[in-house]
C-alpha cells in the first residue's frame, strides 16, 4: 500500500507516530486514533466508495513511484491571471521535477479543489464532481456489472478502476487512455468495433493542458503504422514504431532497450512498449506542444530528463506550426515568426510557444478599406525567395506571364499571394499556412509574391528620388571637397614660391664670411 500522506509529506519513519505499529499503552483514545490512522494508511493508494479524493489530498502508488491528486500547471508571467486552474492528474512522486503523465479533464478545470472531489459513483464509475457535487466534469464511463468498485494507483503510473473485492478484475485503466504521455505498458489503440482511437494529444501550450490541434494515432485502415495529424485532417508524418527507435550507444545517458510490439486482434489494434534492460528506469514518450513525438528518460545522477529522440526530426516538418501567416525557420529562435506585414495575433500564446493562433495583417488591403476617396494606393507585392510555398494553391486560368498572374491576384480581393513558374500561375485565397523560409527541402520550394498594403512597402518613386538626391548630394560634396583641397594646394604653392624668391634675394645681397 502507499504512504499515509498529505501532498507535501514524506514516507513515515519507524520512529514516527504516523503509521507506527506500536500502540500507546493504556489509552483507548490513542488506540482509536491509531486505528483511524491505520485505515488511512491502508487506503493511501485507493479511492473507494467511502474515501473520495478532494482538496489537497493525494494517493500514492505502493512503491512511491506515482501520485494522483489535484494539479495546477505552472503559470508563466504572460499567462498568469491571478487565479489558478486545477486538474486531476498523475505525476511522478519520486523525482524533484513535477512531471505529469496523465490528466483526467484537460478541457474542464476546477477553480477550487476544496469544492471538488474524485469519487466512486453509485453505478461504480469513477467521477470528478465540482462545485459541491452539482457538476460532473468527467467519468470513466464504462459498463460495470457490479457497483462495488475502487480505484487504485499503480507503480506503472496507471489509475485502475477495479472490482472492490478482487483488484485483478479491471474495468478501466488510465494508461490505456493517454493524454499527452505514453508510458511503458500503455496502449496506443484503435478499437475495430467502435472505431474509437486512443490518441496522444499535446497540451495547447506549456501552461494549458487543454487539447492542442495535433495528434498521434494508429492508422484507421488497420496497418502497423501511426500518423501524426494536424486538426484531425492533415497527415504530416507517418511511421512504424519498429523502425522508429534509433539504436543508441551504451554510453548514452539513461541507455535502455525498448521493446515495441504491435498487436492485432478481431477487436483492436494497438502498440505497446516495455523496458527490456531495466524496468525501474523512468521513461516516457510525449506528444510535444510543438507537434513532435519525443522519448525521454530520467537520469538520477543529473536529476533531470534527458531527451533521446524525436519524430519528425525537424520541428519545421510539423504542419502549420506557425499558424496562419506564420513562417517556420530552423535557424533563428523563436522557431516561428510572422511574415512581413503581419504580427502575432495573441502575443501571450506565442510567449508560451503556442503558435497555432497565427498572425494578423497589420494594415488592411486597399480593397478591404472601402475607401472611395482615391487616396489609398493600390496594393503591392513583397517577394519572398526560396520559401516552402503555402498549402492549398489554386491554378489561375489566363495567367501566361508573371505580370498577368500579378494582375489576376490584384483583381480578386481574397487573393493574398501568387507565384508564377514553369507550370503556370498559382494563387492563394484565404490564410497562408505551412510556410517555411530558407527552405532547402526541394519539393514545394519557390518564389512567393505576398500581397500587402502599399504603405507596408517602400515607394519606388520615393526610393528613386532619394537615390538621385543622394547621388547628386554626394557628387556635390565631393566637388566642394575637391575645390577646398585645390584651394589649399594653390595657397601652399604660392607661399612656397614667395619663400623661394626671398631666399635667393637674400643670398645675393650678403657676401660670404671668410675666416
Amino acid at each position: 500500500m502507499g504512504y499515509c500522506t498529505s501532498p507535501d509529506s514524506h514516507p513515515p519513519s519507524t520512529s514516527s507516530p504516523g503509521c507506527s505499529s506500536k500502540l500507546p499503552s493504556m489509552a483507548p483514545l490513542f488506540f482509536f486514533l491509531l486505528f483511524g490512522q491505520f485505515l488511512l494508511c491502508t487506503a493511501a493508494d485507493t479511492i473507494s466508495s467511502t474515501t473520495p479524493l478532494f482538496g489537497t489530498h493525494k494517493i500514492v502508488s505502493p512503491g512511491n513511484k506515482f501520485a494522483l491528486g489535484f494539479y495546477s500547471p505552472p503559470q508563466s508571467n504572460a499567462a498568469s491571471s491571478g487565479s489558478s486552474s486545477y486538474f486531476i492528474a498523475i505525476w511522478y512522486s519520486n523525482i524533484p521535477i513535477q512531471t505529469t503523465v496523465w490528466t483526467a479533464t484537460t478541457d474542464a478545470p476546477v477553480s477550487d479543489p476544496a469544492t471538488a472531489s474524485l469519487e466512486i459513483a453509485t453505478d461504480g464509475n469513477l467521477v470528478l464532481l465540482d462545485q459541491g457535487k452539482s457538476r460532473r466534469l468527467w467519468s470513466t464511463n464504462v459498463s460495470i456489472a457490479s457497483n462495488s468498485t475502487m480505484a487504485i494507483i499503480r507503480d506503472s503510473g496507471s489509475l485502475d478502476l477495479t472490482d472492490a473485492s478482487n483488484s485483478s478484475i479491471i474495468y478501466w485503466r488510465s494508461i490505456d487512455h493517454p493524454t499527452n504521455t505514453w508510458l511503458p505498458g500503455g496502449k496506443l489503440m484503435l478499437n475495430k468495433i467502435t472505431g474509437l482511437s486512443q490518441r496522444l494529444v499535446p497540451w495547447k501550450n506549456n501552461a494549458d493542458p487543454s487539447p492542442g490541434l495535433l495528434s498521434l494515432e494508429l492508422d484507421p485502415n488497420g496497418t502497423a503504422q501511426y500518423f501524426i495529424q494536424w486538426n484531425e485532417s492533415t497527415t504530416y508524418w507517418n511511421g512504424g514504431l519498429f523502425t522508429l527507435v534509433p539504436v543508441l550507444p551504451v554510453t548514452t545517458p539513461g541507455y535502455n532497450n525498448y521493446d515495441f510490439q504491435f498487436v492485432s486482434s478481431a477487436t483492436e489494434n494497438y502498440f505497446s512498449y516495455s523496458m527490456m534492460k531495466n524496468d525501474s528506469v523512468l521513461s516516457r514518450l510525449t506528444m510535444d506542444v510543438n507537434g513532435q513525438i519525443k522519448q525521454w528518460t530520467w537520469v538520477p545522477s543529473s536529476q533531470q530528463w534527458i531527451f533521446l529522440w524525436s519524430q519528425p526530426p525537424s520541428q519545421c516538418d510539423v504542419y502549420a506550426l506557425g499558424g496562419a501567416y506564420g513562417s517556420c525557420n530552423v535557424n533563428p529562435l523563436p522557431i516561428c515568426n510572422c511574415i512581413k506585414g503581419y504580427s502575432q495575433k495573441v502575443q501571450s500564446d506565442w510567449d508560451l510557444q503556442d503558435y497555432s493562433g497565427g498572425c494578423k495583417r497589420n494594415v488592411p488591403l486597399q480593397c478591404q478599406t472601402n475607401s472611395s476617396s482615391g487616396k489609398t494606393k493600390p496594393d503591392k507585392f513583397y517577394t519572398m525567395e526560396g520559401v516552402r510555398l503555402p498549402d492549398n494553391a489554386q491554378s489561375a486560368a489566363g495567367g501566361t506571364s508573371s505580370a498577368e498572374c500579378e494582375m489576376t491576384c490584384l483583381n480578386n480581393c481574397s487573393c493574398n499571394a501568387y507565384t508564377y513558374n514553369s507550370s503556370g500561375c498559382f494563387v492563394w485565397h484565404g490564410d497562408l499556412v505551412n510556410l517555411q523560409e530558407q527552405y532547402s527541402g526541394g519539393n514545394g520550394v519557390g518564389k512567393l509574391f505576398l500581397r500587402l498594403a502599399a504603405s507596408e512597402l517602400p515607394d519606388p518613386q520615393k526610393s528613386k528620388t532619394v537615390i538621385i538626391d543622394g547621388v547628386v548630394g554626394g557628387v556635390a560634396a565631393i566637388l566642394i571637397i575637391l575645390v577646398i583641397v585645390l584651394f589649399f594646394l594653390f595657397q601652399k604653392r604660392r607661399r612656397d614660391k614667395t619663400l623661394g624668391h626671398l631666399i635667393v634675394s637674400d643670398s645675393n645681397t650678403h657676401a660670404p664670411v671668410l675666416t
Side-chain angles (χ1 to χ4, degrees):
M1 292 298 176
Y3 299 120
C4 177
T5 61
S6 65
D8 300 318
S9 63
H10 300 279
S13 65
T14 55
S15 59
S16 169
C19 291
S20 173
S21 60
K22 298 180 180 180
L23 297 177
S25 60
M26 308 300 290
L29 178 60
F30 285 171
F31 176 84
F32 175 78
L33 293 176
L34 181 62
F35 181 72
Q37 185 76 3
F38 172 77
L39 290 178
L40 287 175
C41 289
T42 58
D45 63 351
T46 304
I47 298 173
S48 69
S49 59
T50 58
T51 57
L53 182 74
F54 60 92
T56 58
H57 297 287
K58 66 179 179 180
I59 58 174
V60 183
S61 66
N64 192 33
K65 292 184 177 181
F66 290 92
L68 177 140
F70 285 96
Y71 164 79
S72 181
Q75 300 290 313
S76 72
N77 292 331
S80 179
S81 59
S83 61
S84 298
S85 296
Y86 291 86
F87 303 83
I88 283 292
I90 299 173
W91 63 86
Y92 294 94
S93 62
N94 57 353
I95 63 174
I97 301 176
Q98 189 173 32
T99 306
T100 61
V101 298
W102 181 79
T103 311
T105 54
T106 57
D107 55 353
V110 300
S111 58
D112 186 0
T115 62
S117 63
L118 185 66
E119 58 186 63
I120 300 295
T122 55
D123 63 356
N125 275 286
L126 187 65
V127 296
L128 175 62
L129 304 176
D130 191 21
Q131 297 177 358
K133 301 186 179 183
S134 63
R135 188 164 66 116
R136 177 179 289 198
L137 297 181
W138 174 85
S139 170
T140 50
N141 195 29
V142 291
S143 297
I144 303 173
S146 170
N147 60 2
S148 179
T149 60
M150 63 181 181
I152 306 174
I153 183 70
R154 310 283 195 182
D155 280 333
S156 63
S158 181
L159 178 66
D160 294 356
L161 181 65
T162 72
D163 188 88
S165 58
N166 185 357
S167 62
S168 63
I169 301 176
I170 301 174
Y171 302 113
W172 180 91
R173 301 198 312 164
S174 66
I175 204 170
D176 293 335
H177 298 266
T179 48
N180 71 328
T181 301
W182 184 15
L183 291 174
K187 293 181 180 180
L188 193 65
M189 184 176 62
L190 172 67
N191 189 312
K192 293 182 177 180
I193 306 300
T194 64
L196 179 65
S197 177
Q198 303 293 354
R199 306 179 300 147
L200 283 187
V201 180
W203 287 20
K204 185 177 185 295
N205 57 51
N206 292 326
D208 184 358
S210 61
L213 290 176
L214 310 170
S215 62
L216 168 70
E217 61 184 297
L218 281 179
D219 180 6
N221 296 318
T223 68
Q225 286 188 318
Y226 63 84
F227 296 149
I228 306 181
Q229 291 191 323
W230 173 83
N231 205 25
E232 300 185 36
S233 59
T234 303
T235 299
Y236 61 86
W237 197 85
N238 64 78
L241 286 181
F242 294 114
T243 59
L244 169 66
V245 182
V247 177
L248 302 173
V250 178
T251 55
T252 301
Y255 167 79
N256 209 343
N257 285 341
Y258 299 91
D259 179 25
F260 284 89
Q261 293 184 338
F262 175 74
V263 177
S264 180
S265 69
T267 59
E268 65 181 10
N269 286 350
Y270 68 87
F271 274 115
S272 183
Y273 75 100
S274 60
M275 315 298 290
M276 293 180 62
K277 290 178 66 68
N278 185 357
D279 60 8
S280 67
V281 173
L282 301 184
S283 181
R284 60 194 175 97
L285 188 148
T286 65
M287 187 67 181
D288 190 70
V289 293
N290 286 333
Q292 291 174 294
I293 52 173
K294 295 182 178 181
Q295 187 82 45
W296 306 83
T297 189
W298 178 258
V299 180
S301 59
S302 61
Q303 291 290 285
Q304 62 181 340
W305 290 102
I306 298 297
F307 164 72
L308 296 181
W309 53 265
S310 67
Q311 293 291 345
S314 172
Q315 278 197 329
C316 285
D317 291 334
V318 176
Y319 184 80
L321 180 61
Y325 307 106
S327 174
C328 184
N329 195 329
V330 296
N331 294 323
L333 292 175
I335 192 74
C336 287
N337 289 284
C338 293
I339 58 179
K340 185 175 180 61
Y342 291 79
S343 58
Q344 291 85 352
K345 186 175 291 185
V346 183
Q347 182 62 55
S348 60
D349 286 346
W350 282 63
D351 293 338
L352 294 170
Q353 300 179 34
D354 175 17
Y355 313 115
S356 60
C359 309
K360 59 183 178 181
R361 188 184 289 278
N362 293 332
V363 181
L365 298 176
Q366 181 195 37
C367 62
Q368 296 172 339
T369 60
N370 295 321
S371 175
S372 59
S373 62
K375 294 182 179 180
T376 305
K377 294 184 178 180
D379 301 327
K380 298 180 180 180
F381 288 90
Y382 172 70
T383 304
M384 300 178 68
E385 299 274 3
V387 299
R388 181 177 63 195
L389 296 174
D391 275 10
N392 304 318
Q394 298 180 22
S395 177
T400 58
S401 67
S402 182
E404 288 186 13
C405 192
E406 177 179 326
M407 290 306 300
T408 299
C409 186
L410 275 177
N411 290 334
N412 191 321
C413 191
S414 67
C415 181
N416 289 312
Y418 79 92
T419 190
Y420 184 82
N421 52 40
S422 58
S423 299
C425 174
F426 297 90
V427 295
W428 282 267
H429 299 280
D431 294 342
L432 305 181
V433 295
N434 209 36
L435 270 165
Q436 180 180 345
E437 298 180 77
Q438 301 179 18
Y439 180 62
S440 58
N443 295 330
V445 65
K447 181 187 295 186
L448 183 72
F449 297 92
L450 178 65
R451 185 176 184 176
L452 296 174
S455 60
E456 289 288 304
L457 297 172
D459 189 331
Q461 286 299 116
K462 287 185 178 180
S463 299
K464 185 176 180 180
T465 301
V466 170
I467 293 173
I468 294 174
D469 290 345
V471 171
V472 172
V475 171
I478 293 174
L479 290 176
I480 292 173
I481 293 172
L482 183 60
V483 169
I484 293 173
V485 171
L486 290 175
F487 173 78
F488 279 106
L489 289 175
F490 177 75
Q491 292 296 326
K492 184 177 182 299
R493 186 173 181 182
R494 286 187 61 186
R495 286 197 301 273
D496 291 345
K497 187 174 182 181
T498 302
L499 182 60
H501 283 301
L502 291 174
I503 293 173
V504 172
S505 174
D506 185 67
S507 64
N508 291 332
T509 55
H510 293 84
V513 178
L514 299 176
T515 59

